[in-house]
Amino acid sequence: MLDAGLAAQLKTHLEKVTHPIELVASLDDSPKSSELRELLDEIASLSPKITVDRRDDDARRPSFAIVRTGTDVSVRFAGIPMGHEFTSLVLALLQVGGHPSTASEETIEQIRDLDGTYEFETYFSLSCQNCPDVVQALNLMSVINPKVRHVAIDGALFRDEVEDRKVKAVPSVFLDGQPFEQGRVTLEQIVARLDTGSEARRRDEIDAKEPFDVLVVGAGPAGAAAAIYAARKGIRTGIVAERFGGQVLDTMSIENFVSIPYTEGPKLAAALEAHVDEYEVDVMKLQRAQKLVPAESAEGFVTVELESGAALEARTVVLSTGARWRSLGVPGEEEYRNKGVTYCPHCDGPLFKGKRVAVIGGGNSGVEAAIDLAGLVAHVTLIEFDDDLRADDVLQRKLRSLRNVDIIVSGATTEIHGDGEQVTGLSYRHRGSGDLHHVDVDGVFVQIGLLPNTEWLEGAVELAPTREVVIDDHGLTSVPGVFAAGDCTTVPFKQIVVAAGAGSTAALSAFNHLVRTSAPAGADESAVA
């Protein structure tokens, strides 16, 4: 199961295990159970502190628990956690084995103090880059507080459960048998939902903060770069966002970030956060901006009001709220979101194995999605609004070579249909003839581009007809002291490296603005770049 290189790396990691742990397996006669037994034996051979025991005491087979010997500390996997989940397996081994996590002390204390018992189940797919964060968060909670129990389930392996529970998107989290969350969710978000008083406490803490010299709104590549460049000037810097990483978290592979030949979105997002943490930046996560109030004078403060009810003041603000997947805006889309309507073929494709699906969008993203899905599902129907596909020629040639793909152009999707629980089909109108057509599908993958997250800025700064923030060469918006960077702006190229550069530009411009209006506390004017 493990090649020599991976085994050597794992052996090095397992040297950090301080408590004896048992790998307790529940197996049957299936090939997958044989694979799991082989994997567990290999892991145990890499550390004297790890043993394997077969008890067959769990209904899900193959599955196994990682148990701290002599305690009730454990986590469980149903399936074989390889692919993207191999990191989850390694972390679970280390944490059950006593190695400390990198979570903040505040979050750890919140988890320890949770009242009641919690039985979590998470359905994942091995190709999903969003799933490991959720699996790892709940695993860690079960290690910190044994009253929290968690099992991570490979949806492709336990298809009967997926069908019974109508799981159409991963990660899908159930709490005590009831749906709890779908999609990426952070450890802090999960804890905040369980600790009902945490939101009010956090609101009061944020509301009491002193004004910042630079406040960055958004924590993707542009926001992270802006925070780093501002903090390096020695000025009071804050960053407020719902989650760290932004849209990068939803990116499977990154091969064009200069100096890094290949990485994956979640890894880059973690690296961005770790880099920001190297500086004195006040990071405020799980917060959504609601309103921007410009300063009343050159010496005044810009105010950012948050949905939580708190408000932050700053001498300058950098807007870097990024973009999100564009929705079709047709009947049935919202009703069947995560019930067959999805936006991530890598994450959710395995759930539709052997079924019929549609991909909406004929650009690079849509065609790549259709190509990937064609290797998993029974049939793919790609529907493009324009008269021709817009993807690169090499992608179009590959797509047209696939026998289980139909391509429809000049098709305007008009409605997504379902039976109340899941998608059953869609309708589209041919833009040339006007004829209405129906396609029977079990899933709809929407790949029609991005929409800037700027609704909250309406009326506060100038927005282009595309709803992007209008900026000049220095990242300045129409409001003095307010700068912007990244995918939420009119910058022509939406790329990670472009966003990072734009964030740096905006931060340096904000610093220059501070020096020329009211010098920030502790700043050295000679440091102006």
Side-chain angles (χ1 to χ4, degrees), residues 318-333:
V318 176
L319 307 172
S320 57
T321 48
R324 63 187 183 277
W325 290 114
R326 187 183 296 272
S327 298
L328 287 167
V330 300
E333 181 178 20

Side-chain angles (χ1 to χ4, degrees), residues 38-83:
E38 180 183 350
L39 174 63
L40 299 182
D41 286 340
E42 286 187 61
I43 293 172
S45 71
L46 300 175
S47 171
K49 292 186 180 294
I50 301 177
T51 57
V52 178
D53 185 16
R54 177 173 176 175
R55 297 180 189 169
D56 296 338
D57 57 356
D58 191 84
R60 292 188 182 98
R61 301 178 187 180
S63 69
F64 68 101
I66 305 173
V67 181
R68 183 179 296 172
T69 305
T71 75
D72 55 359
V73 174
S74 69
V75 300
R76 178 174 287 277
F77 290 93
I80 305 174
M82 298 297 287

Side-chain angles (χ1 to χ4, degrees), residues 73-221:
V73 174
S74 69
V75 300
R76 178 174 287 277
F77 290 93
I80 305 174
M82 298 297 287
H84 285 289
E85 290 301 337
F86 186 71
T87 301
S88 301
L89 170 60
V90 175
L91 285 174
L93 290 167
L94 294 178
Q95 290 164 358
V96 174
H99 188 67
S101 79
T102 58
S104 69
E105 283 300 322
E106 177 185 2
T107 301
I108 291 173
E109 283 303 313
Q110 279 185 275
I111 296 169
R112 286 187 181 130
D113 292 342
L114 288 173
D115 291 329
T117 58
Y118 305 88
E119 296 285 343
F120 283 102
E121 299 164 294
T122 302
Y123 291 90
F124 65 85
S125 70
L126 296 178
S127 59
C128 172
Q129 77 274 20
N130 294 323
C131 295
D133 281 358
V134 179
V135 170
Q136 291 164 23
L138 289 165
N139 281 350
L140 176 59
M141 290 178 65
S142 68
V143 172
I144 294 171
N145 185 342
K147 291 184 293 184
V148 178
R149 312 296 292 178
H150 179 232
V151 54
I153 307 162
D154 183 353
L157 195 57
F158 293 89
R159 297 192 60 81
D160 288 345
E161 289 188 40
V162 167
E163 295 290 337
D164 290 344
R165 287 184 158 180
K166 305 295 190 295
V167 175
K168 295 294 183 181
V170 291
S172 283
V173 181
F174 288 76
L175 172 58
D176 297 333
Q178 299 300 315
F180 177 78
E181 186 63 75
Q182 283 186 317
R184 179 185 292 275
V185 61
T186 66
L187 173 65
E188 292 85 359
Q189 287 173 313
I190 296 171
V191 175
R193 285 188 59 177
L194 301 179
D195 181 4
T196 55
S198 63
E199 183 176 350
R201 294 194 303 271
R202 186 61 174 151
R203 179 196 63 218
D204 293 342
E205 290 173 4
I206 291 175
D207 215 31
K209 291 182 182 292
E210 295 295 320
F212 292 92
D213 291 317
V214 176
L215 176 65
V216 181
V217 185

